[in-house]
Amino acid sequence: MSLFAYVPDAGNRALVDLADAHNDTRAVLLSSEQEGIALAAGADLVGARAVVCMQSSGVGNCPNMLSLVRGGGFPMLLIVTMRGDYGEMNPWQYPMGQAVGPVLEAMGVLTYRVDADADLEPAAQAAVDAAWRGGQGVALVLSQKFLGAKPF
Amino acid sequence: MLDRREVLGALFPDPGAYLMVAGLAGSARDAAALTGEADTLFAFGGAMGGAVPMGLGMALAAPDRKVAVVTGDGELLMNAGALASVASTMPENLSIVCIDNGRHGETGGQLGHTARRTDLAGMAEGAGLPSAMTVSDAAGLGEAAAFLEEAPGPRFVCVRVAPGPPAEYKRNWDPAECRLRFRRAWRESRTARRG
């Protein structure tokens, strides 16, 4: 993996910091999540791998750009950290949070959900394999059961 | 005013030196005509707003190659925040050329923001790109060609053109085929370079 493109979220902070600190990977701050889809496709054209990290709200910014996945056969790995999910206290987060699954499904992106610590490693491996061996678009969805809900 | 069909040939006398991404519609046709639809051109036919971030991903992942994005004013504005992402990462090997006709040509020529008050080179500069310029005549095209070679990257050129048709070119519309074609050409160029 060479690029970790991201829109900041509390849930992806540690991962992005790790990617930034690692010698072989680079964290790339995006303005909008849909940029990450096109960026990952650009990396793929030159034989590199990029991951796109976003909060669940950001999935709502992506559908048209995800045309690259089903139409272009670009492998794609999204890491989606959930809001509007189990234990959410902010009513603004529920509409998009609950639409993450249907939106991704509509655009032909598989979803692998992580609810417990034990799910993480196998789901992450399965997602990587689906993307770069299977040529699929796939989202690793880290739920609020796994991450914990944001306390207000 | 400039005829858009004369722009890319003047800016890129050696288009083969670049990996190229073209935004949808007229830009894709102009870039396909410039390169004879080179294998190392990926031209959008949808996913509006994707050209600059795709070029950014390519430039970051292939830092030893020159990458050019050719796009239009409408396409660029749909994802204008991508200019800030370019500025934050500062890929020296990335050049962005915007063919600015102030129109949404593909959908009937409706006026765009740049036909009113919006200045794209000003936006690129404001986003933090180290080099940005606007040209609007033949003499300017010569300056812009030199600018693409010499100005510190990432660099941005806005070319103001007259409303009018892009190049006639029947391009490949299958993005999956274009992806495979690009990747194959990329692999072959790597092998050739390693000798």
PDB file of all heavy atoms in Angstrom, chain A residues 91-107:
ATOM      1  N   PRO A  91     -28.392  13.523  16.061  1.00  0.00           N
ATOM      2  CA  PRO A  91     -29.422  13.158  15.067  1.00  0.00           C
ATOM      3  C   PRO A  91     -29.007  13.441  13.626  1.00  0.00           C
ATOM      4  O   PRO A  91     -29.493  12.795  12.696  1.00  0.00           O
ATOM      5  CB  PRO A  91     -30.629  14.012  15.473  1.00  0.00           C
ATOM      6  CG  PRO A  91     -30.107  15.091  16.359  1.00  0.00           C
ATOM      7  CD  PRO A  91     -28.866  14.550  17.007  1.00  0.00           C
ATOM      8  N   TRP A  92     -28.117  14.397  13.399  1.00  0.00           N
ATOM      9  CA  TRP A  92     -27.659  14.716  12.038  1.00  0.00           C
ATOM     10  C   TRP A  92     -26.920  13.545  11.404  1.00  0.00           C
ATOM     11  O   TRP A  92     -26.796  13.466  10.189  1.00  0.00           O
ATOM     12  CB  TRP A  92     -26.719  15.927  12.063  1.00  0.00           C
ATOM     13  CG  TRP A  92     -27.401  17.201  12.370  1.00  0.00           C
ATOM     14  CD1 TRP A  92     -27.730  17.685  13.608  1.00  0.00           C
ATOM     15  CD2 TRP A  92     -27.857  18.179  11.430  1.00  0.00           C
ATOM     16  NE1 TRP A  92     -28.353  18.894  13.491  1.00  0.00           N
ATOM     17  CE2 TRP A  92     -28.438  19.225  12.166  1.00  0.00           C
ATOM     18  CE3 TRP A  92     -27.812  18.271  10.033  1.00  0.00           C
ATOM     19  CZ2 TRP A  92     -28.992  20.355  11.559  1.00  0.00           C
ATOM     20  CZ3 TRP A  92     -28.346  19.390   9.431  1.00  0.00           C
ATOM     21  CH2 TRP A  92     -28.936  20.417  10.189  1.00  0.00           C
ATOM     22  N   GLN A  93     -26.352  12.689  12.212  1.00  0.00           N
ATOM     23  CA  GLN A  93     -25.529  11.601  11.670  1.00  0.00           C
ATOM     24  C   GLN A  93     -26.345  10.409  11.173  1.00  0.00           C
ATOM     25  O   GLN A  93     -25.852   9.612  10.378  1.00  0.00           O
ATOM     26  CB  GLN A  93     -24.524  11.118  12.738  1.00  0.00           C
ATOM     27  CG  GLN A  93     -23.398  12.097  13.006  1.00  0.00           C
ATOM     28  CD  GLN A  93     -22.342  12.111  11.899  1.00  0.00           C
ATOM     29  OE1 GLN A  93     -22.424  11.396  10.907  1.00  0.00           O
ATOM     30  NE2 GLN A  93     -21.348  12.973  12.068  1.00  0.00           N
ATOM     31  N   TYR A  94     -27.589  10.271  11.657  1.00  0.00           N
ATOM     32  CA  TYR A  94     -28.338   9.054  11.320  1.00  0.00           C
ATOM     33  C   TYR A  94     -28.687   8.895   9.836  1.00  0.00           C
ATOM     34  O   TYR A  94     -28.539   7.791   9.286  1.00  0.00           O
ATOM     35  CB  TYR A  94     -29.608   8.948  12.179  1.00  0.00           C
ATOM     36  CG  TYR A  94     -29.324   8.315  13.527  1.00  0.00           C
ATOM     37  CD1 TYR A  94     -29.128   9.089  14.655  1.00  0.00           C
ATOM     38  CD2 TYR A  94     -29.233   6.927  13.648  1.00  0.00           C
ATOM     39  CE1 TYR A  94     -28.843   8.506  15.886  1.00  0.00           C
ATOM     40  CE2 TYR A  94     -28.957   6.332  14.874  1.00  0.00           C
ATOM     41  CZ  TYR A  94     -28.758   7.126  15.991  1.00  0.00           C
ATOM     42  OH  TYR A  94     -28.472   6.544  17.189  1.00  0.00           O
ATOM     43  N   PRO A  95     -29.158   9.956   9.150  1.00  0.00           N
ATOM     44  CA  PRO A  95     -29.594   9.708   7.762  1.00  0.00           C
ATOM     45  C   PRO A  95     -28.494   9.109   6.878  1.00  0.00           C
ATOM     46  O   PRO A  95     -28.703   8.083   6.238  1.00  0.00           O
ATOM     47  CB  PRO A  95     -30.026  11.104   7.284  1.00  0.00           C
ATOM     48  CG  PRO A  95     -30.415  11.817   8.537  1.00  0.00           C
ATOM     49  CD  PRO A  95     -29.465  11.319   9.591  1.00  0.00           C
ATOM     50  N   MET A  96     -27.326   9.728   6.869  1.00  0.00           N
ATOM     51  CA  MET A  96     -26.259   9.193   5.997  1.00  0.00           C
ATOM     52  C   MET A  96     -25.664   7.924   6.582  1.00  0.00           C
ATOM     53  O   MET A  96     -25.325   6.991   5.847  1.00  0.00           O
ATOM     54  CB  MET A  96     -25.188  10.263   5.762  1.00  0.00           C
ATOM     55  CG  MET A  96     -24.172   9.875   4.681  1.00  0.00           C
ATOM     56  SD  MET A  96     -24.926   9.601   3.053  1.00  0.00           S
ATOM     57  CE  MET A  96     -24.271   7.965   2.653  1.00  0.00           C
ATOM     58  N   GLY A  97     -25.531   7.881   7.901  1.00  0.00           N
ATOM     59  CA  GLY A  97     -24.983   6.668   8.515  1.00  0.00           C
ATOM     60  C   GLY A  97     -25.794   5.440   8.134  1.00  0.00           C
ATOM     61  O   GLY A  97     -25.241   4.401   7.746  1.00  0.00           O
ATOM     62  N   GLN A  98     -27.094   5.570   8.192  1.00  0.00           N
ATOM     63  CA  GLN A  98     -27.948   4.421   7.880  1.00  0.00           C
ATOM     64  C   GLN A  98     -28.016   4.146   6.377  1.00  0.00           C
ATOM     65  O   GLN A  98     -28.469   3.081   5.967  1.00  0.00           O
ATOM     66  CB  GLN A  98     -29.356   4.650   8.448  1.00  0.00           C
ATOM     67  CG  GLN A  98     -29.399   4.621   9.979  1.00  0.00           C
ATOM     68  CD  GLN A  98     -28.867   3.300  10.538  1.00  0.00           C
ATOM     69  OE1 GLN A  98     -29.322   2.229  10.161  1.00  0.00           O
ATOM     70  NE2 GLN A  98     -27.873   3.377  11.424  1.00  0.00           N
ATOM     71  N   ALA A  99     -27.608   5.113   5.563  1.00  0.00           N
ATOM     72  CA  ALA A  99     -27.647   4.919   4.105  1.00  0.00           C
ATOM     73  C   ALA A  99     -26.337   4.374   3.537  1.00  0.00           C
ATOM     74  O   ALA A  99     -26.251   4.096   2.345  1.00  0.00           O
ATOM     75  CB  ALA A  99     -28.000   6.238   3.414  1.00  0.00           C
ATOM     76  N   VAL A 100     -25.325   4.214   4.379  1.00  0.00           N
ATOM     77  CA  VAL A 100     -24.014   3.764   3.873  1.00  0.00           C
ATOM     78  C   VAL A 100     -24.128   2.448   3.110  1.00  0.00           C
ATOM     79  O   VAL A 100     -23.621   2.320   1.987  1.00  0.00           O
ATOM     80  CB  VAL A 100     -22.998   3.638   5.042  1.00  0.00           C
ATOM     81  CG1 VAL A 100     -21.817   2.764   4.676  1.00  0.00           C
ATOM     82  CG2 VAL A 100     -22.514   5.022   5.453  1.00  0.00           C
ATOM     83  N   GLY A 101     -24.804   1.468   3.709  1.00  0.00           N
ATOM     84  CA  GLY A 101     -24.921   0.154   3.061  1.00  0.00           C
ATOM     85  C   GLY A 101     -25.627   0.232   1.716  1.00  0.00           C
ATOM     86  O   GLY A 101     -25.079  -0.203   0.690  1.00  0.00           O
ATOM     87  N   PRO A 102     -26.849   0.805   1.693  1.00  0.00           N
ATOM     88  CA  PRO A 102     -27.562   0.899   0.400  1.00  0.00           C
ATOM     89  C   PRO A 102     -26.809   1.704  -0.665  1.00  0.00           C
ATOM     90  O   PRO A 102     -26.829   1.334  -1.844  1.00  0.00           O
ATOM     91  CB  PRO A 102     -28.875   1.612   0.771  1.00  0.00           C
ATOM     92  CG  PRO A 102     -29.068   1.362   2.226  1.00  0.00           C
ATOM     93  CD  PRO A 102     -27.708   1.179   2.822  1.00  0.00           C
ATOM     94  N   VAL A 103     -26.152   2.792  -0.273  1.00  0.00           N
ATOM     95  CA  VAL A 103     -25.435   3.619  -1.263  1.00  0.00           C
ATOM     96  C   VAL A 103     -24.269   2.831  -1.871  1.00  0.00           C
ATOM     97  O   VAL A 103     -24.082   2.808  -3.088  1.00  0.00           O
ATOM     98  CB  VAL A 103     -24.943   4.939  -0.619  1.00  0.00           C
ATOM     99  CG1 VAL A 103     -23.891   5.610  -1.484  1.00  0.00           C
ATOM    100  CG2 VAL A 103     -26.116   5.877  -0.374  1.00  0.00           C
ATOM    101  N   LEU A 104     -23.508   2.175  -1.011  1.00  0.00           N
ATOM    102  CA  LEU A 104     -22.368   1.403  -1.527  1.00  0.00           C
ATOM    103  C   LEU A 104     -22.856   0.240  -2.388  1.00  0.00           C
ATOM    104  O   LEU A 104     -22.303  -0.034  -3.454  1.00  0.00           O
ATOM    105  CB  LEU A 104     -21.492   0.905  -0.371  1.00  0.00           C
ATOM    106  CG  LEU A 104     -20.716   2.002   0.357  1.00  0.00           C
ATOM    107  CD1 LEU A 104     -20.013   1.422   1.586  1.00  0.00           C
ATOM    108  CD2 LEU A 104     -19.688   2.674  -0.557  1.00  0.00           C
ATOM    109  N   GLU A 105     -23.915  -0.409  -1.928  1.00  0.00           N
ATOM    110  CA  GLU A 105     -24.453  -1.539  -2.694  1.00  0.00           C
ATOM    111  C   GLU A 105     -24.933  -1.060  -4.070  1.00  0.00           C
ATOM    112  O   GLU A 105     -24.696  -1.716  -5.092  1.00  0.00           O
ATOM    113  CB  GLU A 105     -25.606  -2.181  -1.925  1.00  0.00           C
ATOM    114  CG  GLU A 105     -26.078  -3.476  -2.580  1.00  0.00           C
ATOM    115  CD  GLU A 105     -27.315  -4.067  -1.917  1.00  0.00           C
ATOM    116  OE1 GLU A 105     -27.730  -3.572  -0.851  1.00  0.00           O
ATOM    117  OE2 GLU A 105     -27.874  -5.014  -2.501  1.00  0.00           O
ATOM    118  N   ALA A 106     -25.577   0.106  -4.078  1.00  0.00           N
ATOM    119  CA  ALA A 106     -26.099   0.630  -5.345  1.00  0.00           C
ATOM    120  C   ALA A 106     -24.978   0.882  -6.348  1.00  0.00           C
ATOM    121  O   ALA A 106     -25.183   0.776  -7.555  1.00  0.00           O
ATOM    122  CB  ALA A 106     -26.879   1.925  -5.103  1.00  0.00           C
ATOM    123  N   MET A 107     -23.787   1.224  -5.842  1.00  0.00           N
ATOM    124  CA  MET A 107     -22.670   1.515  -6.743  1.00  0.00           C
ATOM    125  C   MET A 107     -21.750   0.306  -6.940  1.00  0.00           C
ATOM    126  O   MET A 107     -20.652   0.427  -7.475  1.00  0.00           O
ATOM    127  CB  MET A 107     -21.869   2.718  -6.228  1.00  0.00           C
ATOM    128  CG  MET A 107     -22.611   4.034  -6.334  1.00  0.00           C
ATOM    129  SD  MET A 107     -23.404   4.324  -7.955  1.00  0.00           S
ATOM    130  CE  MET A 107     -21.969   4.479  -9.036  1.00  0.00           C
TER     131      MET A 107
END
